[in-house]
Amino acid sequence: MIDLTKAQTGFRALLLASAMVAGTPSFADSHSIDASDATFNEAVKAVKDKDFRHAMTLFTLQAENHQHDAQYNLALLLEAGKGAPQDFVSALDWAWSAQLGGITDAEELADGLADILPEGAIAAVRESVANRLQARIDAGDAAAIPQFAAYQLTMLEEPNYETAYIWYSIAAALGLKGTLEARDDARENVEDERIIELQAEAGTIYESLNINID
């Protein structure tokens, strides 16, 4: 089983729950208390109490609400087979989503899972992650835009710099933190003769979006 000992995120203040259960990886924990965090902390307590089925239910609810620390913890449970039978495909799906959401150690978990899954299964997970991101964008979730751009560079068999440039350009236009640099980095890998066309496509998509900026 993959043993991870840390988790980081740019969206919520996290701690590591230390030595939670023998044979169980360390999980992301949370300090701040609101309705969402109370559910998260209840799930962490369920893991400590070895009530993995309850933890799985709670982390799934939050993971489906795009809470990336919960996605990471859900991936760990699915990889370990605690709270449900082992499911490496779903574990990779949530690990990649968590990675895109800023949980840095999710990358190690995802890499380990990808090493043991057949390419057909990995391709299906890629499609699932992309579809989830697109649905979030369609619903007006600004945070999904740079994640969709990052997906183009990190989750595909070969990086798609053109699509990444389009979506980082949109994210930069919306003023999302860190996306100017990411846009320019992607631009360096795009052929000059393609830039005008890609910029036009970015502009068309930008005008079609109804994005909520918090």
Side-chain angles (χ1 to χ4, degrees), residues 82-118:
K82 293 182 179 292
Q86 280 186 318
D87 185 343
F88 294 160
V89 170
S90 294
L92 178 59
D93 194 330
W94 291 119
W96 266 347
S97 294
Q99 179 184 338
L100 291 168
I103 306 296
T104 57
D105 283 336
E107 181 176 359
E108 182 181 348
L109 175 61
D111 287 349
L113 290 162
D115 283 345
I116 59 178
L117 286 172

PDB file of all heavy atoms in Angstrom, residues 82-118:
ATOM      1  N   LYS A  82     -10.262   0.322   2.612  1.00  0.00           N
ATOM      2  CA  LYS A  82     -10.861   0.512   3.935  1.00  0.00           C
ATOM      3  C   LYS A  82     -12.147   1.321   3.769  1.00  0.00           C
ATOM      4  O   LYS A  82     -12.132   2.426   3.258  1.00  0.00           O
ATOM      5  CB  LYS A  82      -9.898   1.226   4.877  1.00  0.00           C
ATOM      6  CG  LYS A  82      -8.671   0.390   5.226  1.00  0.00           C
ATOM      7  CD  LYS A  82      -7.755   1.123   6.208  1.00  0.00           C
ATOM      8  CE  LYS A  82      -6.541   0.270   6.571  1.00  0.00           C
ATOM      9  NZ  LYS A  82      -6.904  -0.921   7.357  1.00  0.00           N
ATOM     10  N   GLY A  83     -13.271   0.740   4.208  1.00  0.00           N
ATOM     11  CA  GLY A  83     -14.570   1.373   4.044  1.00  0.00           C
ATOM     12  C   GLY A  83     -15.283   0.934   2.794  1.00  0.00           C
ATOM     13  O   GLY A  83     -16.479   1.155   2.633  1.00  0.00           O
ATOM     14  N   ALA A  84     -14.572   0.310   1.894  1.00  0.00           N
ATOM     15  CA  ALA A  84     -15.095  -0.269   0.654  1.00  0.00           C
ATOM     16  C   ALA A  84     -13.987  -1.146   0.077  1.00  0.00           C
ATOM     17  O   ALA A  84     -12.808  -0.968   0.414  1.00  0.00           O
ATOM     18  CB  ALA A  84     -15.487   0.816  -0.349  1.00  0.00           C
ATOM     19  N   PRO A  85     -14.346  -2.106  -0.775  1.00  0.00           N
ATOM     20  CA  PRO A  85     -13.288  -2.899  -1.412  1.00  0.00           C
ATOM     21  C   PRO A  85     -12.338  -2.007  -2.200  1.00  0.00           C
ATOM     22  O   PRO A  85     -12.720  -0.936  -2.672  1.00  0.00           O
ATOM     23  CB  PRO A  85     -14.073  -3.835  -2.345  1.00  0.00           C
ATOM     24  CG  PRO A  85     -15.435  -3.923  -1.735  1.00  0.00           C
ATOM     25  CD  PRO A  85     -15.698  -2.570  -1.151  1.00  0.00           C
ATOM     26  N   GLN A  86     -11.090  -2.459  -2.317  1.00  0.00           N
ATOM     27  CA  GLN A  86     -10.119  -1.688  -3.083  1.00  0.00           C
ATOM     28  C   GLN A  86     -10.660  -1.349  -4.468  1.00  0.00           C
ATOM     29  O   GLN A  86     -11.268  -2.186  -5.132  1.00  0.00           O
ATOM     30  CB  GLN A  86      -8.813  -2.466  -3.244  1.00  0.00           C
ATOM     31  CG  GLN A  86      -7.896  -2.408  -2.034  1.00  0.00           C
ATOM     32  CD  GLN A  86      -6.568  -3.057  -2.308  1.00  0.00           C
ATOM     33  OE1 GLN A  86      -6.491  -4.114  -2.936  1.00  0.00           O
ATOM     34  NE2 GLN A  86      -5.495  -2.439  -1.834  1.00  0.00           N
ATOM     35  N   ASP A  87     -10.424  -0.096  -4.869  1.00  0.00           N
ATOM     36  CA  ASP A  87     -10.886   0.369  -6.179  1.00  0.00           C
ATOM     37  C   ASP A  87      -9.839   1.342  -6.704  1.00  0.00           C
ATOM     38  O   ASP A  87      -9.894   2.542  -6.460  1.00  0.00           O
ATOM     39  CB  ASP A  87     -12.248   1.064  -6.040  1.00  0.00           C
ATOM     40  CG  ASP A  87     -12.853   1.467  -7.379  1.00  0.00           C
ATOM     41  OD1 ASP A  87     -12.116   1.514  -8.382  1.00  0.00           O
ATOM     42  OD2 ASP A  87     -14.069   1.748  -7.418  1.00  0.00           O
ATOM     43  N   PHE A  88      -8.845   0.801  -7.417  1.00  0.00           N
ATOM     44  CA  PHE A  88      -7.729   1.616  -7.872  1.00  0.00           C
ATOM     45  C   PHE A  88      -8.155   2.634  -8.932  1.00  0.00           C
ATOM     46  O   PHE A  88      -7.563   3.714  -9.019  1.00  0.00           O
ATOM     47  CB  PHE A  88      -6.614   0.729  -8.418  1.00  0.00           C
ATOM     48  CG  PHE A  88      -5.947  -0.141  -7.393  1.00  0.00           C
ATOM     49  CD1 PHE A  88      -5.236  -1.263  -7.778  1.00  0.00           C
ATOM     50  CD2 PHE A  88      -6.018   0.152  -6.032  1.00  0.00           C
ATOM     51  CE1 PHE A  88      -4.602  -2.074  -6.832  1.00  0.00           C
ATOM     52  CE2 PHE A  88      -5.400  -0.646  -5.083  1.00  0.00           C
ATOM     53  CZ  PHE A  88      -4.690  -1.767  -5.490  1.00  0.00           C
ATOM     54  N   VAL A  89      -9.156   2.313  -9.716  1.00  0.00           N
ATOM     55  CA  VAL A  89      -9.618   3.248 -10.748  1.00  0.00           C
ATOM     56  C   VAL A  89     -10.222   4.491 -10.088  1.00  0.00           C
ATOM     57  O   VAL A  89      -9.855   5.629 -10.411  1.00  0.00           O
ATOM     58  CB  VAL A  89     -10.628   2.577 -11.692  1.00  0.00           C
ATOM     59  CG1 VAL A  89     -11.287   3.608 -12.602  1.00  0.00           C
ATOM     60  CG2 VAL A  89      -9.941   1.507 -12.532  1.00  0.00           C
ATOM     61  N   SER A  90     -11.147   4.286  -9.158  1.00  0.00           N
ATOM     62  CA  SER A  90     -11.740   5.434  -8.465  1.00  0.00           C
ATOM     63  C   SER A  90     -10.712   6.170  -7.623  1.00  0.00           C
ATOM     64  O   SER A  90     -10.755   7.404  -7.510  1.00  0.00           O
ATOM     65  CB  SER A  90     -12.901   4.965  -7.579  1.00  0.00           C
ATOM     66  OG  SER A  90     -13.967   4.471  -8.361  1.00  0.00           O
ATOM     67  N   ALA A  91      -9.783   5.425  -7.036  1.00  0.00           N
ATOM     68  CA  ALA A  91      -8.733   6.072  -6.248  1.00  0.00           C
ATOM     69  C   ALA A  91      -7.902   7.012  -7.115  1.00  0.00           C
ATOM     70  O   ALA A  91      -7.576   8.133  -6.701  1.00  0.00           O
ATOM     71  CB  ALA A  91      -7.839   5.022  -5.594  1.00  0.00           C
ATOM     72  N   LEU A  92      -7.560   6.571  -8.332  1.00  0.00           N
ATOM     73  CA  LEU A  92      -6.796   7.438  -9.231  1.00  0.00           C
ATOM     74  C   LEU A  92      -7.624   8.654  -9.637  1.00  0.00           C
ATOM     75  O   LEU A  92      -7.096   9.779  -9.710  1.00  0.00           O
ATOM     76  CB  LEU A  92      -6.372   6.655 -10.476  1.00  0.00           C
ATOM     77  CG  LEU A  92      -5.603   7.443 -11.529  1.00  0.00           C
ATOM     78  CD1 LEU A  92      -4.317   8.043 -10.955  1.00  0.00           C
ATOM     79  CD2 LEU A  92      -5.290   6.567 -12.745  1.00  0.00           C
ATOM     80  N   ASP A  93      -8.893   8.456  -9.899  1.00  0.00           N
ATOM     81  CA  ASP A  93      -9.776   9.562 -10.260  1.00  0.00           C
ATOM     82  C   ASP A  93      -9.732  10.653  -9.188  1.00  0.00           C
ATOM     83  O   ASP A  93      -9.511  11.835  -9.480  1.00  0.00           O
ATOM     84  CB  ASP A  93     -11.195   9.020 -10.430  1.00  0.00           C
ATOM     85  CG  ASP A  93     -12.128   9.995 -11.130  1.00  0.00           C
ATOM     86  OD1 ASP A  93     -11.947  11.212 -11.002  1.00  0.00           O
ATOM     87  OD2 ASP A  93     -13.056   9.522 -11.810  1.00  0.00           O
ATOM     88  N   TRP A  94      -9.917  10.271  -7.935  1.00  0.00           N
ATOM     89  CA  TRP A  94      -9.933  11.261  -6.855  1.00  0.00           C
ATOM     90  C   TRP A  94      -8.538  11.783  -6.548  1.00  0.00           C
ATOM     91  O   TRP A  94      -8.375  12.956  -6.187  1.00  0.00           O
ATOM     92  CB  TRP A  94     -10.579  10.675  -5.614  1.00  0.00           C
ATOM     93  CG  TRP A  94     -12.046  10.440  -5.777  1.00  0.00           C
ATOM     94  CD1 TRP A  94     -12.702   9.251  -5.691  1.00  0.00           C
ATOM     95  CD2 TRP A  94     -13.049  11.416  -6.080  1.00  0.00           C
ATOM     96  NE1 TRP A  94     -14.044   9.423  -5.918  1.00  0.00           N
ATOM     97  CE2 TRP A  94     -14.293  10.745  -6.152  1.00  0.00           C
ATOM     98  CE3 TRP A  94     -13.015  12.791  -6.290  1.00  0.00           C
ATOM     99  CZ2 TRP A  94     -15.494  11.410  -6.431  1.00  0.00           C
ATOM    100  CZ3 TRP A  94     -14.202  13.453  -6.571  1.00  0.00           C
ATOM    101  CH2 TRP A  94     -15.419  12.770  -6.632  1.00  0.00           C
ATOM    102  N   ALA A  95      -7.521  10.945  -6.696  1.00  0.00           N
ATOM    103  CA  ALA A  95      -6.158  11.418  -6.447  1.00  0.00           C
ATOM    104  C   ALA A  95      -5.758  12.483  -7.462  1.00  0.00           C
ATOM    105  O   ALA A  95      -5.150  13.503  -7.112  1.00  0.00           O
ATOM    106  CB  ALA A  95      -5.174  10.249  -6.493  1.00  0.00           C
ATOM    107  N   TRP A  96      -6.101  12.276  -8.722  1.00  0.00           N
ATOM    108  CA  TRP A  96      -5.806  13.289  -9.738  1.00  0.00           C
ATOM    109  C   TRP A  96      -6.580  14.580  -9.474  1.00  0.00           C
ATOM    110  O   TRP A  96      -6.037  15.674  -9.620  1.00  0.00           O
ATOM    111  CB  TRP A  96      -6.124  12.746 -11.122  1.00  0.00           C
ATOM    112  CG  TRP A  96      -4.937  12.130 -11.806  1.00  0.00           C
ATOM    113  CD1 TRP A  96      -3.622  12.248 -11.429  1.00  0.00           C
ATOM    114  CD2 TRP A  96      -4.933  11.314 -12.979  1.00  0.00           C
ATOM    115  NE1 TRP A  96      -2.810  11.554 -12.297  1.00  0.00           N
ATOM    116  CE2 TRP A  96      -3.588  10.977 -13.253  1.00  0.00           C
ATOM    117  CE3 TRP A  96      -5.943  10.846 -13.804  1.00  0.00           C
ATOM    118  CZ2 TRP A  96      -3.232  10.188 -14.344  1.00  0.00           C
ATOM    119  CZ3 TRP A  96      -5.594  10.058 -14.899  1.00  0.00           C
ATOM    120  CH2 TRP A  96      -4.248   9.721 -15.165  1.00  0.00           C
ATOM    121  N   SER A  97      -7.837  14.451  -9.079  1.00  0.00           N
ATOM    122  CA  SER A  97      -8.621  15.649  -8.765  1.00  0.00           C
ATOM    123  C   SER A  97      -8.007  16.403  -7.596  1.00  0.00           C
ATOM    124  O   SER A  97      -7.930  17.635  -7.605  1.00  0.00           O
ATOM    125  CB  SER A  97     -10.064  15.257  -8.455  1.00  0.00           C
ATOM    126  OG  SER A  97     -10.709  14.731  -9.603  1.00  0.00           O
ATOM    127  N   ALA A  98      -7.558  15.670  -6.591  1.00  0.00           N
ATOM    128  CA  ALA A  98      -6.911  16.305  -5.446  1.00  0.00           C
ATOM    129  C   ALA A  98      -5.598  16.960  -5.849  1.00  0.00           C
ATOM    130  O   ALA A  98      -5.277  18.070  -5.407  1.00  0.00           O
ATOM    131  CB  ALA A  98      -6.671  15.270  -4.347  1.00  0.00           C
ATOM    132  N   GLN A  99      -4.837  16.290  -6.691  1.00  0.00           N
ATOM    133  CA  GLN A  99      -3.574  16.855  -7.179  1.00  0.00           C
ATOM    134  C   GLN A  99      -3.807  18.182  -7.897  1.00  0.00           C
ATOM    135  O   GLN A  99      -3.110  19.172  -7.652  1.00  0.00           O
ATOM    136  CB  GLN A  99      -2.895  15.861  -8.110  1.00  0.00           C
ATOM    137  CG  GLN A  99      -1.571  16.353  -8.694  1.00  0.00           C
ATOM    138  CD  GLN A  99      -0.978  15.364  -9.683  1.00  0.00           C
ATOM    139  OE1 GLN A  99      -1.298  14.173  -9.654  1.00  0.00           O
ATOM    140  NE2 GLN A  99      -0.118  15.841 -10.573  1.00  0.00           N
ATOM    141  N   LEU A 100      -4.797  18.211  -8.764  1.00  0.00           N
ATOM    142  CA  LEU A 100      -5.114  19.439  -9.486  1.00  0.00           C
ATOM    143  C   LEU A 100      -5.596  20.528  -8.537  1.00  0.00           C
ATOM    144  O   LEU A 100      -5.442  21.720  -8.818  1.00  0.00           O
ATOM    145  CB  LEU A 100      -6.167  19.164 -10.551  1.00  0.00           C
ATOM    146  CG  LEU A 100      -5.703  18.318 -11.736  1.00  0.00           C
ATOM    147  CD1 LEU A 100      -6.898  17.877 -12.576  1.00  0.00           C
ATOM    148  CD2 LEU A 100      -4.699  19.074 -12.589  1.00  0.00           C
ATOM    149  N   GLY A 101      -6.174  20.121  -7.416  1.00  0.00           N
ATOM    150  CA  GLY A 101      -6.649  21.079  -6.428  1.00  0.00           C
ATOM    151  C   GLY A 101      -5.600  21.544  -5.445  1.00  0.00           C
ATOM    152  O   GLY A 101      -5.918  22.307  -4.530  1.00  0.00           O
ATOM    153  N   GLY A 102      -4.363  21.100  -5.594  1.00  0.00           N
ATOM    154  CA  GLY A 102      -3.287  21.616  -4.768  1.00  0.00           C
ATOM    155  C   GLY A 102      -2.779  20.693  -3.687  1.00  0.00           C
ATOM    156  O   GLY A 102      -1.927  21.090  -2.886  1.00  0.00           O
ATOM    157  N   ILE A 103      -3.259  19.458  -3.614  1.00  0.00           N
ATOM    158  CA  ILE A 103      -2.751  18.497  -2.631  1.00  0.00           C
ATOM    159  C   ILE A 103      -1.502  17.853  -3.228  1.00  0.00           C
ATOM    160  O   ILE A 103      -1.582  16.959  -4.072  1.00  0.00           O
ATOM    161  CB  ILE A 103      -3.803  17.433  -2.290  1.00  0.00           C
ATOM    162  CG1 ILE A 103      -5.113  18.076  -1.845  1.00  0.00           C
ATOM    163  CG2 ILE A 103      -3.271  16.494  -1.198  1.00  0.00           C
ATOM    164  CD1 ILE A 103      -5.044  18.866  -0.575  1.00  0.00           C
ATOM    165  N   THR A 104      -0.348  18.318  -2.798  1.00  0.00           N
ATOM    166  CA  THR A 104       0.878  17.940  -3.490  1.00  0.00           C
ATOM    167  C   THR A 104       1.188  16.445  -3.387  1.00  0.00           C
ATOM    168  O   THR A 104       1.676  15.853  -4.352  1.00  0.00           O
ATOM    169  CB  THR A 104       2.071  18.750  -2.959  1.00  0.00           C
ATOM    170  OG1 THR A 104       2.191  18.544  -1.549  1.00  0.00           O
ATOM    171  CG2 THR A 104       1.868  20.231  -3.218  1.00  0.00           C
ATOM    172  N   ASP A 105       0.913  15.824  -2.253  1.00  0.00           N
ATOM    173  CA  ASP A 105       1.234  14.411  -2.107  1.00  0.00           C
ATOM    174  C   ASP A 105       0.269  13.512  -2.861  1.00  0.00           C
ATOM    175  O   ASP A 105       0.524  12.316  -2.991  1.00  0.00           O
ATOM    176  CB  ASP A 105       1.281  14.020  -0.635  1.00  0.00           C
ATOM    177  CG  ASP A 105       2.577  14.482   0.030  1.00  0.00           C
ATOM    178  OD1 ASP A 105       3.575  14.668  -0.687  1.00  0.00           O
ATOM    179  OD2 ASP A 105       2.590  14.652   1.256  1.00  0.00           O
ATOM    180  N   ALA A 106      -0.828  14.068  -3.358  1.00  0.00           N
ATOM    181  CA  ALA A 106      -1.718  13.274  -4.190  1.00  0.00           C
ATOM    182  C   ALA A 106      -1.009  12.812  -5.457  1.00  0.00           C
ATOM    183  O   ALA A 106      -1.373  11.781  -6.035  1.00  0.00           O
ATOM    184  CB  ALA A 106      -2.969  14.075  -4.539  1.00  0.00           C
ATOM    185  N   GLU A 107      -0.005  13.563  -5.905  1.00  0.00           N
ATOM    186  CA  GLU A 107       0.735  13.158  -7.099  1.00  0.00           C
ATOM    187  C   GLU A 107       1.441  11.826  -6.886  1.00  0.00           C
ATOM    188  O   GLU A 107       1.446  10.964  -7.773  1.00  0.00           O
ATOM    189  CB  GLU A 107       1.742  14.239  -7.486  1.00  0.00           C
ATOM    190  CG  GLU A 107       2.526  13.908  -8.734  1.00  0.00           C
ATOM    191  CD  GLU A 107       3.462  15.022  -9.173  1.00  0.00           C
ATOM    192  OE1 GLU A 107       3.480  16.079  -8.509  1.00  0.00           O
ATOM    193  OE2 GLU A 107       4.170  14.836 -10.172  1.00  0.00           O
ATOM    194  N   GLU A 108       2.050  11.653  -5.718  1.00  0.00           N
ATOM    195  CA  GLU A 108       2.728  10.381  -5.441  1.00  0.00           C
ATOM    196  C   GLU A 108       1.731   9.232  -5.410  1.00  0.00           C
ATOM    197  O   GLU A 108       1.990   8.146  -5.953  1.00  0.00           O
ATOM    198  CB  GLU A 108       3.472  10.468  -4.108  1.00  0.00           C
ATOM    199  CG  GLU A 108       4.242   9.208  -3.759  1.00  0.00           C
ATOM    200  CD  GLU A 108       4.957   9.310  -2.421  1.00  0.00           C
ATOM    201  OE1 GLU A 108       5.050  10.420  -1.864  1.00  0.00           O
ATOM    202  OE2 GLU A 108       5.413   8.261  -1.932  1.00  0.00           O
ATOM    203  N   LEU A 109       0.594   9.463  -4.780  1.00  0.00           N
ATOM    204  CA  LEU A 109      -0.448   8.440  -4.746  1.00  0.00           C
ATOM    205  C   LEU A 109      -0.917   8.114  -6.155  1.00  0.00           C
ATOM    206  O   LEU A 109      -1.033   6.947  -6.537  1.00  0.00           O
ATOM    207  CB  LEU A 109      -1.615   8.933  -3.892  1.00  0.00           C
ATOM    208  CG  LEU A 109      -2.852   8.040  -3.831  1.00  0.00           C
ATOM    209  CD1 LEU A 109      -2.509   6.673  -3.249  1.00  0.00           C
ATOM    210  CD2 LEU A 109      -3.963   8.697  -3.019  1.00  0.00           C
ATOM    211  N   ALA A 110      -1.179   9.146  -6.959  1.00  0.00           N
ATOM    212  CA  ALA A 110      -1.651   8.937  -8.326  1.00  0.00           C
ATOM    213  C   ALA A 110      -0.619   8.201  -9.166  1.00  0.00           C
ATOM    214  O   ALA A 110      -0.963   7.297  -9.945  1.00  0.00           O
ATOM    215  CB  ALA A 110      -2.003  10.281  -8.967  1.00  0.00           C
ATOM    216  N   ASP A 111       0.644   8.575  -9.037  1.00  0.00           N
ATOM    217  CA  ASP A 111       1.693   7.918  -9.813  1.00  0.00           C
ATOM    218  C   ASP A 111       1.761   6.432  -9.484  1.00  0.00           C
ATOM    219  O   ASP A 111       1.927   5.589 -10.383  1.00  0.00           O
ATOM    220  CB  ASP A 111       3.047   8.572  -9.546  1.00  0.00           C
ATOM    221  CG  ASP A 111       3.175   9.939 -10.189  1.00  0.00           C
ATOM    222  OD1 ASP A 111       2.318  10.304 -11.017  1.00  0.00           O
ATOM    223  OD2 ASP A 111       4.145  10.663  -9.852  1.00  0.00           O
ATOM    224  N   GLY A 112       1.639   6.105  -8.202  1.00  0.00           N
ATOM    225  CA  GLY A 112       1.674   4.701  -7.812  1.00  0.00           C
ATOM    226  C   GLY A 112       0.501   3.915  -8.375  1.00  0.00           C
ATOM    227  O   GLY A 112       0.654   2.765  -8.810  1.00  0.00           O
ATOM    228  N   LEU A 113      -0.668   4.524  -8.369  1.00  0.00           N
ATOM    229  CA  LEU A 113      -1.852   3.864  -8.920  1.00  0.00           C
ATOM    230  C   LEU A 113      -1.729   3.700 -10.437  1.00  0.00           C
ATOM    231  O   LEU A 113      -2.078   2.649 -10.993  1.00  0.00           O
ATOM    232  CB  LEU A 113      -3.095   4.670  -8.572  1.00  0.00           C
ATOM    233  CG  LEU A 113      -3.494   4.649  -7.090  1.00  0.00           C
ATOM    234  CD1 LEU A 113      -4.450   5.797  -6.776  1.00  0.00           C
ATOM    235  CD2 LEU A 113      -4.119   3.316  -6.719  1.00  0.00           C
ATOM    236  N   ALA A 114      -1.269   4.739 -11.118  1.00  0.00           N
ATOM    237  CA  ALA A 114      -1.130   4.674 -12.573  1.00  0.00           C
ATOM    238  C   ALA A 114      -0.141   3.594 -12.992  1.00  0.00           C
ATOM    239  O   ALA A 114      -0.271   3.009 -14.081  1.00  0.00           O
ATOM    240  CB  ALA A 114      -0.708   6.030 -13.123  1.00  0.00           C
ATOM    241  N   ASP A 115       0.840   3.319 -12.148  1.00  0.00           N
ATOM    242  CA  ASP A 115       1.840   2.304 -12.470  1.00  0.00           C
ATOM    243  C   ASP A 115       1.235   0.904 -12.535  1.00  0.00           C
ATOM    244  O   ASP A 115       1.801   0.015 -13.192  1.00  0.00           O
ATOM    245  CB  ASP A 115       2.968   2.321 -11.437  1.00  0.00           C
ATOM    246  CG  ASP A 115       3.932   3.465 -11.646  1.00  0.00           C
ATOM    247  OD1 ASP A 115       3.914   4.079 -12.736  1.00  0.00           O
ATOM    248  OD2 ASP A 115       4.694   3.776 -10.707  1.00  0.00           O
ATOM    249  N   ILE A 116       0.111   0.678 -11.851  1.00  0.00           N
ATOM    250  CA  ILE A 116      -0.437  -0.673 -11.781  1.00  0.00           C
ATOM    251  C   ILE A 116      -1.736  -0.833 -12.565  1.00  0.00           C
ATOM    252  O   ILE A 116      -2.269  -1.939 -12.639  1.00  0.00           O
ATOM    253  CB  ILE A 116      -0.663  -1.108 -10.315  1.00  0.00           C
ATOM    254  CG1 ILE A 116      -1.633  -0.163  -9.596  1.00  0.00           C
ATOM    255  CG2 ILE A 116       0.663  -1.183  -9.573  1.00  0.00           C
ATOM    256  CD1 ILE A 116      -1.933  -0.585  -8.166  1.00  0.00           C
ATOM    257  N   LEU A 117      -2.235   0.255 -13.154  1.00  0.00           N
ATOM    258  CA  LEU A 117      -3.475   0.177 -13.918  1.00  0.00           C
ATOM    259  C   LEU A 117      -3.177   0.044 -15.414  1.00  0.00           C
ATOM    260  O   LEU A 117      -2.215   0.626 -15.913  1.00  0.00           O
ATOM    261  CB  LEU A 117      -4.323   1.425 -13.685  1.00  0.00           C
ATOM    262  CG  LEU A 117      -5.024   1.527 -12.332  1.00  0.00           C
ATOM    263  CD1 LEU A 117      -5.663   2.906 -12.165  1.00  0.00           C
ATOM    264  CD2 LEU A 117      -6.076   0.443 -12.176  1.00  0.00           C
ATOM    265  N   PRO A 118      -4.016  -0.683 -16.142  1.00  0.00           N
ATOM    266  CA  PRO A 118      -3.843  -0.766 -17.600  1.00  0.00           C
ATOM    267  C   PRO A 118      -4.182   0.573 -18.251  1.00  0.00           C
ATOM    268  O   PRO A 118      -4.945   1.381 -17.711  1.00  0.00           O
ATOM    269  CB  PRO A 118      -4.833  -1.855 -18.009  1.00  0.00           C
ATOM    270  CG  PRO A 118      -5.853  -1.869 -16.924  1.00  0.00           C
ATOM    271  CD  PRO A 118      -5.136  -1.507 -15.659  1.00  0.00           C
TER     272      PRO A 118
END
